[in-house]
Amino acid sequence: MEDRDRELDPVVKVSDRSTAVIDIGSNSVRLVVFDGPQRVPLPKFNEKVLCGLGQELGTTGRLGEKAMADALAALRRYAALVHHMGIERVMVAATAAVREADNGSEFVSEIEQQCDLNVQVLSGRQEARYSGLGVLSGIPHADGLAGDLGGGSLELVEISDFRIHETATLPLGALRLSHMNMPEKKLRKFINKKFAKAAWLEEMTAKNFYAVGGAWRVLARYHIIKTNHPLNIIHNYRLTGEEITALIDEILAMSIEDLYNANGIPKSRANTMHTAAIIMQELLEKVTLKNVIFSGNGLREGMLFSELKKSVRKRDPLLDACRDMAASEGRFAEHGEEIFDWLKDLVRMADRKGKRLTLAAATLSDIAWWANSDYRAAQAFRRIFRAPFNGIGHRGRAMIALSVYARYKGDFSGPAPDDSLRLLSEAEAKNALTIGLALRLSHTLSGGTIGILSKTRLEVSSTTVTLRIPTSLSALVGQHVIKQLEDLAAALDLKSEIEVTPSRLS
């Protein structure tokens, strides 16, 4: 049923202002084509090839011949794809392995000659900065330490107040260290010696750690599957200090064979998982942090983000994405702002986060208008719960998706919202239902059109939910409006009342 329903989804509109980013990393070579340079670019194409350029870096100081051949083959394909896609804006970045290898410059010359690509070999400072900006692009209020673990290096970045502060690039890539075959005790000593070069780490306390990079994201994927977490999305997945400690201990207790067979761990990552876990364990022992939050954004997103004006960078990525989705899939994209204004008395006691989620839900409250009425609630829920949103955690996704589900359904019945309800407390679920019922009433009263709600008022007192409506619009008060106002009031344990006034409400 789920796959059949998904076929009904409308085609997501994308612009022709595409940018291609080719990342020549120490472990993988990847092409991502983003739709446009806006605040929330949408990945239209994403492909990587694991070449292992940094595999021999720690032992020979050079890029291996086979790794270079594999990378060149992938890059020739990417150059051809970009050409046939008609993309004029192509950004190509090479990171630690190419930067540090004795034959790195020769390899870059070969790429430019064979593929006609202009390769920018990033300095350690640039790589760290782009990684930090990538985290900020997807988690704007990030406050703490970001760590991007690649195959050849580890970038550490202090981030807060929308800014990059201290940075460090250390030769602690998971692939590089795994192939140096050091005993564990020696490996830990080597790691801590490198950490000592970033003296500012000692001051990082009581903040969050934002984990970036394929090997660390595998930790999140493994935990999501192991715990049967309702949402299989790594971005903004959060673990407490106790949870990450237990997870690392579990990974380190597993044999290589166990790792190869573990659900959620790609076989291509099994050989580096112990090293990746040890690096994080040593880092978290050196700095005292509250939570580990996994970021789906990193260097590539940071490169795009760096080109935006500062005023654009500070725009809310969630609300921008919601407005884009509403413009693409809704009937009246601007209706969301009017609905939110109409709900202000209902959410007046909510904090900034609660009001933001309400605005997002109001903005998305019409995206399933095109579907058969029997499927609208489920379609809207799935579209929102699984959308590639930035700037929101898993619980926030659940709040918005459930609110819009209730807007169509009138309650939380049916199988679609079951898993998401596990993410919320009883009070949060009740709040999502209340917002959904208010959205439902707003669309019924206004017929989904603009200009009606602004002439009416929804008021909430300690005893009553009152709909005030001018005489000129009193004909809009039909049985459905009355029933939905009663449902909203009942959800708040209040009475309902409709008051018709002689003149337009101001």
Side-chain angles (χ1 to χ4, degrees):
M1 178 67 73
E2 181 176 321
D3 290 337
R4 187 183 72 188
D5 289 349
R6 194 175 292 120
E7 292 174 1
L8 298 174
D9 286 344
V11 175
V12 177
K13 297 178 183 177
V14 292
S15 75
D16 57 0
R17 298 172 298 144
S18 297
T19 300
V21 180
I22 298 175
D23 176 5
I24 306 172
S26 301
N27 192 28
S28 65
V29 175
R30 185 189 292 265
L31 165 66
V32 182
V33 178
F34 293 95
D35 176 54
Q38 66 271 30
R39 177 62 182 86
V40 191
L42 179 69
K44 295 196 297 184
F45 182 86
N46 190 333
E47 180 179 299
K48 73 174 179 180
V49 177
L50 294 175
C51 302
L53 283 171
Q55 182 170 316
E56 300 177 21
L57 197 60
T59 53
T60 69
R62 297 175 62 83
L63 307 176
E65 294 296 328
K66 183 179 184 306
M68 288 192 292
D70 290 345
L72 279 169
L75 291 167
R76 286 193 296 269
R77 167 174 161 75
Y78 295 163
L81 280 172
V82 167
H83 172 74
H84 287 292
M85 290 177 182
I87 300 172
E88 297 181 359
R89 177 90 170 115
V90 183
M91 305 171 73
V92 186
T95 56
V98 175
R99 177 174 67 242
E100 297 180 25
D102 293 339
N103 56 345
S105 59
E106 299 169 20
F107 180 55
V108 169
S109 297
E110 197 67 26
I111 295 170
E112 294 179 338
Q113 181 178 344
Q114 290 193 29
C115 307
D116 193 25
L117 295 171
N118 182 22
V119 180
Q120 179 186 11
V121 180
L122 301 180
S123 67
R125 165 69 180 171
Q126 287 175 313
E127 188 173 353
R129 178 174 176 271
Y130 286 143
S131 295
L133 287 175
V135 172
L136 287 173
S137 74
I139 310 175
H141 296 283
D143 182 17
L145 177 67
D148 186 349
L149 179 64
S153 65
L154 170 65
E155 278 64 53
L156 297 173
V157 190
E158 181 188 5
I159 50 179
S160 65
D161 302 321
F162 303 99
R163 295 176 53 213
I164 302 295
H165 301 283
E166 299 285 353
T167 68
T169 296
L170 306 174
L172 298 177
L175 184 68
R176 175 196 292 215
L177 296 186
S178 295
H179 284 82
M180 290 174 70
N181 296 317
M182 285 187 280
E184 183 174 322
K185 184 176 180 180
K186 184 177 180 181
L187 173 63
R188 290 181 182 273
K189 184 176 180 180
F190 179 83
I191 291 169
N192 278 288
K193 184 177 180 181
K194 299 302 179 185
F195 283 156
K197 295 186 177 181
W200 54 270
L201 285 176
E202 300 289 349
E203 301 175 10
M204 298 297 303
T205 59
K207 295 187 177 184
N208 292 320
F209 176 61
Y210 302 89
V212 185
W216 279 348
R217 290 181 185 130
V218 170
L219 291 174
R221 178 76 66 199
Y222 174 77
H223 195 267
I224 285 171
I225 293 174
K226 176 177 178 288
T227 59
N228 194 29
H229 186 73
L231 188 60
N232 193 19
I233 292 178
I234 290 174
H235 184 66
N236 240 318
Y237 187 62
R238 179 185 299 251
L239 295 177
T240 64
E242 293 76 14
E243 288 172 328
I244 193 65
T245 297
L247 175 59
I248 289 174
D249 288 344
E250 180 178 344
I251 292 293
L252 292 178
M254 297 167 72
S255 67
I256 295 297
E257 184 179 358
D258 291 336
L259 291 169
Y260 267 102
N261 295 322
N263 195 9
I265 299 179
K267 288 181 171 53
S268 59
R269 295 283 186 185
N271 286 327
T272 60
M273 288 309 298
H274 279 166
T275 302
I278 288 171
I279 294 170
M280 183 177 284
Q281 188 177 62
E282 292 298 325
L283 180 61
L284 295 181
E285 287 185 4
K286 189 173 185 63
V287 295
T288 304
L289 298 164
K290 293 190 295 185
N291 302 295
V292 173
I293 301 170
F294 294 87
S295 171
N297 291 6
L299 181 140
R300 293 174 294 276
E301 292 78 11
M303 291 176 68
L304 290 182
F305 194 63
S306 71
E307 298 195 335
L308 298 178
K309 294 179 180 179
K310 289 185 178 180
S311 59
V312 178
R313 290 188 202 175
K314 290 186 177 181
R315 279 169 26 192
D316 190 315
L318 170 65
L319 296 179
D320 265 21
C322 290
R323 293 183 185 111
D324 287 346
M325 186 184 292
S328 175
E329 302 173 29
R331 287 173 292 184
F332 310 102
E334 60 272 32
H335 198 210
E337 297 281 351
E338 186 178 51
I339 293 172
F340 178 69
D341 286 340
W342 191 71
L343 297 179
K344 278 187 175 177
D345 201 44
L346 180 67
V347 298
R348 68 181 183 277
M349 300 303 293
D351 59 14
R352 178 182 173 277
K353 178 181 177 181
K355 291 177 180 176
R356 176 175 178 257
L357 295 179
T358 301
L359 175 56
T363 304
L364 297 176
S365 60
D366 196 40
I367 64 169
W369 66 271
W370 50 269
N372 182 285
S373 59
D374 291 334
Y375 292 96
R376 284 175 190 156
Q379 284 294 321
F381 174 83
R382 292 181 182 124
R383 185 77 180 89
I384 296 167
F385 196 48
R386 299 169 182 168
F389 287 143
N390 282 320
I392 188 170
H394 288 201
R395 288 168 57 240
R397 283 174 176 271
M399 291 283 289
I400 298 172
L402 285 166
S403 293
V404 179
Y405 182 89
R407 167 267 192 270
Y408 285 107
K409 190 79 170 179
D411 54 34
F412 290 153
S413 63
D418 286 349
D419 281 346
S420 64
L421 286 167
R422 291 167 43 203
L423 294 172
L424 304 182
S425 67
E426 185 176 340
E428 288 170 331
K430 181 179 179 180
N431 185 52
L433 176 61
T434 301
I435 296 300
L437 292 174
L439 294 175
R440 185 175 178 83
L441 173 61
S442 74
H443 280 275
T444 299
L445 176 62
S446 66
T449 59
I450 300 168
I452 291 176
L453 294 179
S454 61
K455 299 172 184 176
T456 72
R457 184 178 300 156
L458 185 70
E459 296 181 354
V460 182
S461 71
S462 59
T463 61
T464 310
V465 179
T466 303
L467 173 61
R468 301 189 187 278
I469 188 165
T471 304
S472 60
L473 295 178
S474 60
L476 296 177
V477 181
Q479 60 178 340
H480 294 300
V481 169
I482 295 170
K483 176 64 166 60
Q484 290 175 17
L485 180 63
E486 291 173 350
D487 290 343
L488 173 59
L492 294 166
D493 299 319
L494 302 175
K495 298 183 298 182
S496 65
E497 180 179 308
I498 295 176
E499 181 178 315
V500 178
T501 61
S503 60
R504 175 177 172 172
L505 297 169
S506 59

